[in-house]
Amino acid sequence: MTSLVNHPRFPVRAAPTVRPDRVVGRARRQLRVTVVITLVMTCLVAGAIVLVAVLALATIDTGGRVPHPLPLPAPTGQSVGGS
């Protein structure tokens, strides 16, 4: 039994020729894309760190003691006994 790979209706094509100038150009392009992606990700991470730091500093209360909230009103006889 013949496999589909060796079947005469599916001829095996020759490997494409590789031109060295295209390989070098592609490598340079990939390096540029890698550098750009790295710079963008670095800026995003740095921005997130700065945002978290600013939000953390903005929530620090430097005004002294925290005032106590107003107490709730005392329950009335009707609310204790039910409605």
Side-chain angles (χ1 to χ4, degrees), residues 28-68:
R28 285 185 185 144
R29 202 171 324 123
Q30 287 176 348
L31 179 63
R32 287 181 188 151
V33 169
T34 303
V35 169
V36 168
I37 290 173
T38 304
L39 286 174
V40 168
M41 292 303 295
T42 304
C43 289
L44 287 174
V45 169
I49 291 172
V50 168
L51 180 65
V52 168
V54 167
L55 290 176
L57 290 175
T59 57
I60 295 175
D61 184 20
T62 58
R65 291 184 55 197
V66 177
H68 290 287

